[in-house]
Amino acid sequence: MLLEKTKLLDQYFDEVLKEQQQIDLLLGDPVHPNLYSLRDMARQSFRSKGIPHSGMEDWKYTPVRAFVEKILRVKDGYPKYSSSAADALQLEKSCYIMVIIDGKWWPHLSDPILTDSLEIASLDQVSSETAKIAHLGAHADIEHPFAALNTALFSDGIMIRVKTGVLLEKPIYLVHISMGEINPMFYPRMLFVAEKHTKVTLIEKFVVSDTSIYTVNNSVSEVVVENGAEMEHYYIHTENELSVNLQYARVILDEGSKYSNYNFALPGSPFIRHDLHVSMRGTGAETTLYGMVLTSKKQLVDNHTCVDHSVPDCISNEHYKCIVKDQSTLVFNGKVIVHPDAQRTNSFQKNSNLLLSDDAVINTKPELEIYADDVKCSHGATMGQFDSEALFYLTSRGIRENTARQMLMEAFAAEIIEVVPDEMVKQYLKNIMAEHL
Amino acid sequence: MLTINNLHASIDGKEILRGLNLQVNPGEVHAIMGPNGSGKSTTASVLAGKPEYEITGGEIIFQGENLNGMAPENRAAEGIFLAFQYPVEIKGVSNINFLKTAVNEIRAYHGLEPMPAKEFLNRIKEKQELVQFSNDLAKRSLNEGFSGGEKKRNEIFQLAMLEPKLAILDETDSGLDIDALRIVAHGVNSLRSKDNAFIIITHYQRLLEYIEPDFVHVLYNGRIVKSGTKELALELEEKGYDWLKSESRDYITA
Ligand SMILES: Nc1ncnc2c1ncn2[C@@H]1O[C@H](COP(=O)(O)OP(=O)(O)OP(=O)(O)O)[C@@H](O)[C@H]1O
Ligand SMILES: [Mg+2]
């Protein structure tokens, strides 16, 4: 029985891959001149590995198959989500809004974009072929099974390019709505390029609509921050129990660039796996990765980050804080690689966890690989419960235990929320965090 | 107001309080002295309802109600306040927000609406002046990075804000400089009334010069072995505890 189901899923992907291959053959290559061969490699890579299983080191605690398998049942009337979840657009003020439904960009639902500072286009309509050809498929690692699957199957995709020297004041706000209109599994593909000496804020928020069905979002982003450019990049997950997220992003940092990522996952989605891989390719680059994860019920949230320092004089700073409740599972894997040439690297990593239930599980693993000698690196993971002395102190002042616990959770989260530079996003996050704590 | 009858309490299976008796009436100030480890802080924690302690015998009656099993927050709402010997640092919780929550939760317990913001701010200002607690400190995270003396002053600031019926001060004087000691004493004295009471745990006669106690008790080995008036504190300062220890040993063996 189990075997049969397993086979069904593999068969499903086999068919989907074949179908896409035929479409590609028929249509040629509108998106990218080398797409056909790229897809070929991706297909092979995916076929050789298949959907990851617990025997694979990077997926040890993350039983992804069960969550993907559910897409096969969608057509047999998997229940629809009925209550209203239309909180999608709370950030709309003073942002360039882009609406992306099931991975497809809807220009007519989105804001018009200033073309002399910014290009936003679907991949087949990009005006600057140079940037696209240089980067599309060049950075995502197709050894990663889901990066491979996305590469083999994505259809339109979006490119955002901030043109040289432009300092964008308004954030670009991408609302990803998972609906499952055509297919319960879809493959969004993004290419973000901040050209030389630009400044840009990207906010990506993941939501569902009130007609959504069970969906699996298998997305890949390639992010390039060129010389002297600065990017602030937010992920905000507020999906519900029908939305599974498999997200892969590779970030390339050129000389003197800065990239900060703020990754917020709130209770809702049953399964989120994030792979965030930042490569320091130019000297003097800096990256900051902050994460705040709050899990409840039977959720599983897995963040795999990797920072690799291949050139000298770069700085990386990472702090993930997680509050883990109920029967949920949290996985954190933070890899830092300092290659032999990356002298004078500064790299700090911290993972702090608040484990609030006997039935919850945390698997955390920092991995440091250092091959250079003149470096400053540190990492640490902490695991704690509520501090009983602090709880007693608060309750002894007349504060009810529940309120006291909430205050302590907010205090724990505050360290990450307070560093959020964008005031609007900070306020928004404070509000939604308060709702969930 | 408070009657403690033959109280026995233990922690991690170890008995610390062994038959403690104490009677505190409204308007009174009681000082509790005694050697290190004799059970003074334990008494304070048990009164405030620290969950780690187990009451194995006896009872605590506060305003006619048995406190056994009552949650710390309800005791606080009923009017018990403990100024901690070692106040906890809580990063990320602002002092003001903490006090506002405390004030309003206590009001909610009594079926009252939250305190209007303006009234709250006026009160903060007034009490801050009373204990000369700086605005900078009030705005910071709760006790985070406070010096020892600043933490103690914060305890008295909170005491002034919450206006409890029974305040227990656990070694509030240790760590205070001479000026701060006077300020704290002044704060306490101006909060004294015929309706409230104080239990002041201290090692030194000095604080008692500023806050005059009606009674002085010596706690030793988990029980009160001697009670007297403020002259007892002077006698202890002079003679130490040894004479009491031998007396109490006789008492135990007798
Ligand atoms: N968790 C525990 N397990 C065992 N013994 C404990 C525990 N906590 C406290 N004690 C013991 O209880 C006794 C009384 O401690 P308490 O803090 O009440 O003393 P104290 O009179 O306040 O002393 P000091 O003057 O030093 O503040 C001490 O011997 C202490 O070691
Ligand atoms: Mg003590």
Side-chain angles (χ1 to χ4, degrees):
Chain A
M1 185 63 197
L2 199 72
L3 194 71
E4 217 167 87
K5 230 165 75 183
T6 304
K7 268 198 199 145
L8 273 180
L9 187 69
D10 295 336
Q11 236 168 52
Y12 170 82
F13 281 115
D14 207 46
E15 278 160 26
V16 174
L17 286 165
K18 268 189 200 139
E19 203 177 292
Q20 186 64 46
Q21 190 175 12
Q22 273 155 12
I23 294 172
D24 288 352
L25 271 175
L26 214 67
L27 295 182
D29 256 340
V31 173
H32 191 288
N34 306 322
L35 186 67
Y36 193 83
S37 61
L38 190 64
R39 289 229 216 250
D40 216 26
M41 288 191 294
R43 254 192 312 271
Q44 278 173 29
S45 166
F46 180 77
R47 284 211 172 102
S48 72
K49 296 190 182 70
I51 298 289
H53 52 83
S54 62
M56 294 158 78
E57 186 55 32
D58 279 340
W59 297 86
K60 210 163 156 185
Y61 307 106
T62 312
V64 63
R65 176 177 280 269
F67 290 91
V68 178
E69 223 149 45
K70 279 193 185 163
I71 59 168
L72 299 181
R73 284 190 267 148
V74 170
K75 293 200 180 71
D76 319 332
Y78 198 90
K80 285 199 173 194
Y81 185 67
S82 58
S83 92
S84 141
D87 72 329
L89 300 171
Q90 289 178 19
L91 285 171
E92 72 230 79
K93 270 178 252 119
S94 63
C95 287
Y96 299 110
I97 298 190
M98 298 180 54
V99 175
I100 296 158
I101 300 174
D102 295 347
K104 189 174 160 50
W105 174 42
W106 289 78
H108 63 282
L109 296 179
S110 307
D111 279 352
I113 302 301
L114 274 171
T115 47
D116 39 347
S117 50
L118 189 62
E119 178 180 21
I120 299 185
S122 57
L123 284 173
D124 55 354
Q125 277 164 18
V126 166
S127 72
S128 159
E129 291 288 323
T130 335
K132 184 177 80 181
I133 289 166
H135 300 301
L136 184 66
H139 309 303
D141 176 12
I142 53 170
E143 289 304 309
H144 186 289
F146 288 107
L149 192 61
N150 175 287
T151 303
L153 295 173
F154 78 84
S155 47
D156 356 46
I158 305 141
M159 171 158 157
I160 297 179
R161 183 169 66 92
V162 186
K163 298 182 185 175
T164 305
V166 169
L167 310 177
L168 271 192
E169 264 172 50
K170 287 208 276 181
I172 301 171
Y173 174 31
L174 292 82
V175 189
H176 296 274
I177 307 175
S178 290
M179 289 178 74
E181 283 212 298
I182 295 168
N183 208 307
M185 185 151 174
F186 45 86
Y187 311 90
R189 182 77 179 207
M190 269 103 36
L191 174 58
F192 305 140
V193 182
E195 291 184 349
K196 293 190 180 81
H197 307 291
T198 52
K199 206 168 168 180
V200 57
T201 298
L202 283 175
I203 304 167
E204 294 191 67
K205 185 171 163 188
F206 300 84
V207 298
V208 295
S209 84
D210 47 12
T211 58
S212 295
I213 58 164
Y214 184 89
T215 57
V216 177
N217 176 339
N218 170 201
S219 75
V220 167
S221 305
E222 288 166 298
V223 182
V224 181
V225 189
E226 293 187 355
N227 292 4
E230 285 179 36
M231 185 184 285
E232 243 172 65
H233 191 180
Y234 297 86
Y235 290 124
I236 305 171
H237 286 279
T238 61
E239 300 106 317
N240 71 359
E241 57 274 22
L242 292 178
S243 170
V244 163
N245 211 304
L246 302 166
Q247 202 168 352
Y248 172 97
R250 175 85 187 271
V251 182
I252 303 292
L253 301 186
D254 286 344
E255 210 174 301
S257 64
K258 284 191 182 141
Y259 174 78
S260 333
N261 186 286
Y262 303 86
N263 188 355
F264 290 88
L266 291 147
S269 168
F271 185 101
I272 297 173
R273 161 72 180 232
H274 248 275
D275 286 84
L276 177 60
H277 184 163
V278 181
S279 295
M280 320 283 246
R281 201 173 64 174
T283 53
E286 275 182 50
T287 187
T288 326
L289 309 180
Y290 286 109
M292 180 69 232
V293 180
L294 185 60
T295 60
S296 69
K297 295 186 183 155
K298 290 192 170 152
Q299 255 190 312
L300 187 154
V301 176
D302 175 354
N303 279 293
H304 267 62
T305 66
C306 175
V307 178
D308 80 72
H309 287 262
S310 45
V311 295
D313 299 307
C314 291
I315 300 173
S316 66
N317 231 312
E318 178 169 14
H319 194 179
Y320 268 66
K321 291 190 103 169
C322 313
I323 300 176
V324 184
K325 299 204 252 190
D326 305 337
Q327 299 95 42
S328 61
T329 303
L330 180 101
V331 183
F332 176 77
N333 188 293
K335 196 185 257 188
V336 174
I337 309 170
V338 181
H339 296 275
D341 288 340
Q343 296 299 358
R344 297 174 301 280
T345 288
N346 275 314
S347 172
F348 306 101
Q349 185 191 82
K350 228 161 61 170
N351 169 228
S352 331
N353 301 297
L354 199 51
L355 180 62
L356 298 186
S357 145
D358 291 341
D359 302 321
V361 180
I362 295 178
N363 291 297
T364 171
K365 187 175 168 198
E367 280 183 64
L368 248 62
E369 295 176 24
I370 302 174
Y371 305 105
D373 42 32
D374 182 13
V375 299
K376 279 198 197 108
C377 291
S378 74
H379 67 91
T382 61
M383 188 95 69
Q385 277 145 358
F386 277 125
D387 177 357
S388 65
E389 296 293 325
L391 258 185
F392 177 56
Y393 191 78
L394 296 175
T395 53
S396 80
R397 296 298 181 247
I399 297 170
R400 275 167 302 168
E401 195 177 327
N402 270 344
T403 315
R405 284 177 192 277
Q406 183 162 339
M407 286 171 83
L408 292 178
M409 282 193 277
E410 278 175 25
F412 179 84
E415 201 182 347
I416 298 293
I417 294 188
E418 288 307 323
V419 296
V420 167
D422 191 296
E423 273 308 317
M424 174 187 65
V425 178
K426 183 194 283 186
Q427 202 44 54
Y428 170 73
L429 286 169
K430 271 188 187 165
N431 296 344
I432 49 171
M433 287 298 280
E435 267 171 47
H436 286 283
L437 286 172
Chain B
M1 173 182 278
L2 176 76
T3 309
I4 303 178
N5 281 327
N6 191 26
L7 184 67
H8 290 254
S10 35
I11 185 160
D12 296 334
K14 189 183 166 206
E15 185 167 66
I16 312 289
L17 300 184
R18 313 152 188 245
L20 183 86
N21 293 300
L22 186 68
Q23 170 73 35
V24 178
N25 299 311
E28 291 177 351
V29 173
H30 290 245
I32 296 183
M33 304 180 82
N36 293 133
S38 56
K40 301 182 298 298
S41 294
T42 303
T43 307
S45 300
V46 167
L47 284 173
K50 195 169 191 199
E52 284 84 354
Y53 291 93
E54 194 194 347
I55 309 285
T56 53
E59 56 182 11
I60 308 169
I61 311 292
F62 180 65
Q63 297 186 316
E65 230 181 305
N66 192 335
L67 290 188
N68 203 353
M70 190 190 277
E73 58 268 33
N74 295 342
R75 295 180 193 215
E78 290 291 344
I80 291 179
F81 181 94
L82 168 60
F84 285 75
Q85 182 175 3
Y86 305 109
V88 189
E89 297 192 15
I90 307 181
K91 193 177 174 178
V93 171
S94 87
N95 235 325
I96 296 290
N97 202 22
F98 156 70
L99 275 171
K100 198 162 134 199
T101 311
V103 165
N104 287 333
E105 295 243 316
I106 291 175
R107 288 174 67 94
Y109 178 90
H110 295 291
L112 296 171
E113 293 288 304
M115 186 180 279
K118 200 163 170 241
E119 190 183 334
F120 177 76
L121 289 176
N122 286 340
R123 180 128 158 211
I124 288 268
K125 219 176 137 219
E126 178 200 332
K127 303 300 183 188
Q128 241 172 280
E129 272 165 28
L130 179 69
V131 297
Q132 301 190 13
F133 192 71
S134 82
N135 222 348
D136 287 348
L137 288 177
K139 278 187 192 149
R140 266 159 63 178
S141 267
L142 189 45
N143 291 330
E144 195 199 357
F146 283 28
S147 76
E150 288 169 341
K151 282 181 190 165
K152 295 299 177 72
R153 267 207 247 181
N154 194 10
E155 294 295 288
I156 301 303
F157 174 46
Q158 293 171 32
L159 166 68
M161 283 297 294
L162 298 178
E163 293 183 339
K165 297 207 175 76
L166 174 67
I168 306 148
L169 274 57
D170 191 357
E171 291 197 29
T172 302
D173 52 341
S174 36
L176 287 183
D177 65 46
I178 299 158
D179 291 336
L181 192 69
R182 266 195 220 114
I183 294 161
V184 163
H186 168 71
V188 170
N189 283 329
S190 54
L191 294 167
R192 275 175 84 165
S193 80
K194 63 178 184 2
D195 302 317
N196 61 20
F198 289 82
I199 295 176
I200 295 177
I201 297 171
T202 182
H203 285 293
Y204 307 108
Q205 147 72 14
R206 172 160 231 139
L207 178 68
L208 304 179
E209 277 169 21
Y210 296 110
I211 308 172
E212 249 186 62
D214 299 294
F215 300 96
V216 174
H217 310 276
V218 179
L219 191 68
Y220 178 63
N221 243 328
R223 69 172 64 158
I224 286 172
V225 294
K226 191 153 187 86
S227 297
T229 52
K230 61 179 193 241
E231 285 71 30
L232 177 58
L234 281 169
E235 196 179 348
L236 291 169
E237 184 106 331
E238 216 174 279
K239 298 208 270 182
Y241 292 111
D242 278 351
W243 61 286
L244 280 174
K245 286 183 188 170
S246 51
E247 238 176 54
S248 87
R249 216 168 290 132
D250 297 343
Y251 170 77
I252 291 164
T253 46

